Amino acid sequence: MFFKDKHCPTCKGSGTQVFTPLSPGERKALGTNRTDLWRCTAAGCRWYQPWDHQAGGGRLPEELQNPGADAAQ
């Protein structure tokens, strides 16, 4: 069973954030066709990761940050 809430290593706090699958445009910006990559939806965050672990994650380009807050880390 999949849960959309996951811990984001770049967002502050001990709670979880909602993650959504990368859009086709986001995958294109990363140069990948992987469909198992999900991103944090917190305002200002650019973190993405494979669904099952953070180790393969990273940050999306600056222009793909979520709007609504100060630029994240």
Side-chain angles (χ1 to χ4, degrees), residues 6-8 11-17:
K6 294 193 141 315
H7 174 72
C8 177
C11 289
K12 302 298 183 204
S14 60
T16 59
Q17 302 294 336

Side-chain angles (χ1 to χ4, degrees), residues 16-64:
T16 59
Q17 302 294 336
V18 174
F19 276 66
T20 60
L22 289 184
S23 70
E26 291 166 337
R27 288 195 308 268
K28 183 178 178 180
L30 292 175
T32 185
N33 289 322
R34 289 180 60 178
T35 58
D36 67 330
L37 298 175
W38 290 59
R39 76 168 295 166
C40 178
T41 61
C45 191
R46 297 183 289 130
W47 181 257
Y48 71 92
Q49 67 186 50
W51 177 254
D52 55 348
H53 56 85
Q54 292 175 350
R59 292 193 184 172
L60 292 164
E62 186 76 28
E63 63 271 10
L64 295 177

